[in-house]
Amino acid sequence: MKRIVVLTTIILLITTNMNAQNLKGNNWTARKVDRTYIVSVADKSSVLDALTDFVIAQKIPAGQITGIGATNEATLRFFDPVTKKYVDKTFNEQMEISNLSGNISEVLGKPMLHLHVTLGRKDYMALAGHLLDAKIRGAGEFFVYPVSSKVIKVKNEAVGLNFYDFGK
Ligand code: FE
């Protein structure tokens, strides 16, 4: 009986870890569980650089990203569709990344991360917008859900942005 319990425990431990794999890259470590990746971006490193390196290293053609963490330097970008110009603003202060949502696609043959963020300030008020980049200060915890085929974004000249167009 004891032997059966020990054997069952060993088999369970092996099968639970069979679908998990630890990975490492430039300023990130990750664990792949089934088809999902859990990514940790290192303290004091760029979210965009680390996640782009991760996507290239893991050959992820497209997918979804979610994340939480903390930053002390974040640049948000605002697009004005009338002038088709960007206005960038950098916030140098300690903030919570209370939510990061984004997608991974391909633009002109290169991986493109489109990230939006909500940042919590010291006074608990929030900043939000399109995230150009942020430097992690504390934790940077992300979940990446890949899809198995390429998803290409094309520049829409009338709007002035790259986006999905599945009508062509
Ligand atoms: Fe955006």
Side-chain angles (χ1 to χ4, degrees):
M1 183 65 191
K2 205 174 168 189
R3 203 177 269 181
I4 294 169
V5 172
V6 171
L7 207 67
T8 315
T9 314
I10 291 169
I11 290 167
L12 260 171
L13 277 171
I14 293 170
T15 48
T16 350
N17 285 311
M18 222 161 58
N19 296 326
Q21 184 189 0
N22 287 345
L23 307 154
K24 211 178 189 177
N26 288 331
N27 296 319
W28 60 266
T29 58
R31 175 167 292 175
K32 188 180 182 191
V33 183
D34 299 325
R35 286 188 37 77
T36 302
Y37 292 86
I38 305 159
V39 187
S40 175
V41 173
D43 185 34
K44 297 178 183 171
S45 57
S46 149
V47 168
L48 205 85
D49 289 354
L51 290 179
T52 303
D53 184 76
F54 161 78
V55 162
I56 292 170
Q58 294 308 304
K59 298 183 176 68
I60 296 171
Q64 188 197 2
I65 300 181
T66 66
I68 54 171
T71 178
N72 65 352
E73 188 189 310
T75 304
L76 303 184
R77 166 166 279 189
F78 191 84
F79 177 71
D80 184 340
V82 176
T83 60
K84 293 181 188 170
K85 285 198 170 121
Y86 297 110
V87 182
D88 298 343
K89 192 165 176 166
T90 301
F91 298 87
N92 289 289
E93 59 192 77
Q94 187 64 28
M95 294 171 286
E96 291 289 327
I97 300 171
S98 68
N99 181 61
L100 179 145
S101 314
N103 53 54
I104 306 154
S105 319
E106 190 184 297
V107 175
L108 298 170
K110 285 185 179 167
M112 169 66 73
L113 273 66
H114 185 188
L115 306 175
H116 282 198
V117 77
T118 308
L119 300 165
R121 288 178 132 163
K122 201 179 176 182
D123 63 0
Y124 306 107
M125 294 292 120
L127 285 171
H130 175 100
L131 181 70
L132 208 59
D133 201 2
K135 199 200 281 174
I136 291 295
R137 191 67 184 102
E141 305 170 345
F142 303 88
F143 271 62
V144 177
Y145 308 96
V147 294
S148 51
S149 73
K150 269 189 189 188
V151 183
I152 296 168
K153 280 185 183 178
V154 181
K155 177 105 182 239
N156 182 309
E157 295 297 340
V159 182
L161 292 172
N162 294 305
F163 52 72
Y164 300 131
D165 185 353
F166 303 118
K168 284 173 189 161

